[in-house]
Amino acid sequence: MSTRQPATEETEPEEASAPLSAPRPSRRPPWALWSAWSRRWRERHPRGARALSVTLSVLAAALVVAALVMPDSVVRLEPGAFVRIPAEAVVGAAVLLALPRRPRVAVAAVSGVLLGAMTVLNALDMGFNQYLGRKFNVILDWSLFGDAESYLEDSLGHTATLAAVTGVITLILLLFVLLALSVVRLGDLLARHPGTATRGTLVAGVVWITCSSLGLQVAGVPIASDRTATALQAQVHQVSATLKDEAEFRKVARVDAFGNTPGSQLVPALRGKDMIFTFIESYGRSAIEDPIMAPGVDKTLDVRTKALAKAGFHAKSGWLTSATYGGSSWLGHSTTMSGLWISNQQRYRTVMASDHMSLTDAFEKTGAFDTVGVMPGVQKGWPEQKWYGLDKVYNAFRLGYQGPKFSWSTMPDQYALQQYQERVHSKRPAAGKSRMSLLILTSSHQPWAPIPKMVGWDQLGDGSVFKGIEAAGNKSSDIIADTTRSREEYGKSIQYSVTALTEWLERYGSKDTVLVFLGDHQPIARVSGNHASRDVPVSVVAKDPKVLDRIADWGWTDGLRPAHDAPVWKMSAFRDRFLTAYGSTPHPKKG
């Protein structure tokens, strides 16, 4: 017997009387709502919709064509470079016309993303050409972005750097999205007008072939373009060449003309000398020969040559062609010291992990020298110390500096040299030994603002004296944006570094001091010019005439300023020439 009560007016749920077809809240996705709104708007405003559609299609075509023909160098970035017919667009149109809707949309979207990737790589090539004198290497150069961010933070501050990095990432993502949408839109446009699109594609193909065959140009730029296809081919070739170079360079690094030379047969002519190797940041040939920088730098070199001569020092100078340009100073340092052409990060890592002898390590192997490094630019662990053969290294935190940073440079060169004097040079080496020192000066590092000024050597203290000088100096942001001022300030920074180094030598050098100083690379193209060489000056300075007599056959110029026609060697040739000149006996290591 059922216990269920019949429904009554009092007990019947209120919902039971509700109609089954009651409307529910809309759950349509946002894009469906946007599509519906857009359709209604087009129906209400047909002329406006047509004008907007044409405008968007024109902008999409312009963006795609611009991405396809964009040059990879700032010097070629001019209007004529964009008035071209890209072969990739003609081929792409033919492919999209042949595909059904879904495959067409998928291919168009993927093509847009790939074009975005190629555009980003192209922009990187542009930047690397401008700053480092070479193209971006997709295998090796990703690690440099961390250094670039650190440089910006030192030059512009944390907030500006964060804003810049965020802006760049946003622009890249936006570029990918816009190019993908643009190619999809153009593909749909072709599909809606197949007859016209087919005829237009055929005409464009014939015009491209004609222009290519006849070599037709506008403002010196070929009308027929296949730049993106050529760039992609170049990237593939570069990747292959990079991987091949790694294996080949390992073999080269195992070969060393002095690799098996006993310590007793290394640099015998320099025993008992106070040997100093110094790199001056960005000290390039342009500093001595460019019409904007040269007058001040050349005057400084001539004045300092005379001052050193009065103190009993004489010099010979020549040119070395650096393995790097605009930056990556460590490649110049290691090329000079290893005698190997270390032109990329991969080669650098290979050498640092090898037992290939560095020039500084040669002095350590003699057993007759204490070896020390002064590195005010080093602000983290530096495992390279072992390869350089340095018993002790003073980095940025071991020199007691309490003054302000000068943009990227942690301390003025004059202060670093005074600390070298107080902590190292004024101390006696271990019994029966001499000393070999490696100094890397940083005050001439870009962006060359603010620049330190010379103060009395007895007034340096802990560096606090530089606070007023730094505060009164130029702002980095003002100099970075102005090419002419960058050149002027770069020249002043070289004058400062050369003056600080040579005044230190004049003040503290002895009859046994031998100083070799050189640049690590040219400054960036914005300062040195788009067609500058990679040459840097190198000088050997000593009181003992026998030291310079040993390099008399090198043909170098007397004084600190090398003549324009002085000999030019590859930087990698210096180590073996130096070792040979000062009596080292080759005992090859063949790997």
Side-chain angles (χ1 to χ4, degrees), residues 305-324:
T305 295
K306 293 176 181 177
L308 288 176
K310 188 175 180 180
F313 287 95
H314 298 280
K316 287 186 177 294
S317 301
W319 304 105
L320 300 177
T321 302
S322 178
T324 185

Side-chain angles (χ1 to χ4, degrees), residues 164-469:
V165 171
T166 303
V168 168
I169 293 174
T170 302
L171 284 175
I172 291 174
L173 294 176
L174 186 62
L175 177 68
F176 275 81
V177 172
L178 288 178
L179 280 171
L181 292 176
S182 295
V183 179
V184 169
R185 182 179 187 84
L186 294 175
D188 289 344
L189 182 63
L190 293 172
R192 287 199 300 271
H193 308 281
T196 303
T198 300
R199 289 190 295 272
T201 301
L202 289 173
V203 170
V206 171
V207 172
W208 190 94
I209 293 171
T210 303
C211 292
S212 178
S213 301
L214 299 179
L216 299 182
Q217 299 182 349
V218 173
V221 179
I223 296 175
S225 166
D226 60 352
R227 204 214 63 78
T228 297
T230 302
L232 180 60
Q233 183 181 11
Q235 289 289 352
V236 172
H237 175 74
Q238 184 185 58
V239 169
S240 175
T242 299
L243 297 175
K244 183 179 179 181
D245 179 73
E246 181 178 8
E248 291 181 348
F249 186 72
R250 281 201 187 100
K251 297 176 184 177
V252 172
R254 294 191 189 108
V255 177
D256 189 342
F258 293 90
N260 289 325
T261 301
S264 60
Q265 296 179 28
L266 289 169
V267 290
L270 293 174
R271 301 300 169 87
K273 296 300 182 185
D274 170 28
M275 188 70 224
I276 304 170
F277 294 99
T278 302
F279 286 93
I280 294 180
E281 170 65 38
S282 300
Y283 180 30
R285 186 167 194 144
S286 296
I288 294 176
E289 296 185 348
D290 182 271
I292 292 180
M293 291 94 75
V297 173
D298 289 353
K299 181 179 179 181
T300 296
L301 291 172
D302 292 342
V303 167
R304 297 312 305 156
T305 295
K306 293 176 181 177
L308 288 176
K310 188 175 180 180
F313 287 95
H314 298 280
K316 287 186 177 294
S317 301
W319 304 105
L320 300 177
T321 302
S322 178
T324 185
Y325 176 97
S328 301
S329 301
W330 56 92
L331 302 183
H333 305 159
S334 54
T335 294
T336 305
M337 294 298 160
S338 69
L340 298 169
W341 191 250
I342 305 178
S343 55
N344 59 51
Q345 194 66 16
Q346 180 174 271
R347 289 187 167 206
Y348 181 77
R349 288 193 296 262
T350 297
V351 171
M352 290 301 115
S354 74
D355 60 356
H356 191 94
M357 186 182 72
S358 66
L359 181 53
T360 45
D361 190 35
F363 284 85
E364 197 274 337
K365 286 186 175 181
T366 64
F369 290 85
D370 283 342
T371 57
V372 65
V374 176
M375 314 282 181
V378 173
Q379 303 180 62
K380 54 186 177 182
W382 198 59
E384 290 91 333
Q385 175 179 349
K386 179 180 178 182
W387 182 81
Y388 276 96
L390 300 174
D391 300 323
K392 191 171 186 178
V393 169
Y394 290 88
N395 63 20
F397 307 111
R398 300 187 64 186
L399 295 171
Y401 184 64
Q402 299 299 315
K405 290 182 67 175
F406 282 76
S407 189
W408 184 89
S409 180
T410 59
M411 65 192 71
D413 290 346
Q414 186 187 12
Y415 178 88
L417 288 162
Q418 181 63 30
Q419 287 299 304
Y420 166 64
Q421 174 62 29
E422 294 178 5
R423 297 171 185 266
V424 179
H425 193 254
S426 62
K427 312 295 184 184
R428 287 178 175 268
K433 289 190 175 185
S434 303
R435 181 182 292 112
M436 189 285 305
S437 305
L438 175 63
L439 282 62
I440 299 181
L441 303 181
T442 62
S443 288
S444 50
H445 194 288
Q446 62 173 312
W448 309 297
I451 301 171
K453 296 182 183 297
M454 294 294 295
V455 300
W457 287 89
D458 297 327
Q459 300 172 12
L460 288 167
D462 64 1
S464 298
V465 67
F466 289 103
K467 289 180 179 178
I469 296 173

Side-chain angles (χ1 to χ4, degrees), residues 93-110:
V95 171
L96 294 178
L97 277 168
L99 293 174
R101 183 181 180 280
R102 287 192 176 183
R104 184 186 70 245
V105 172
V107 169
V110 171

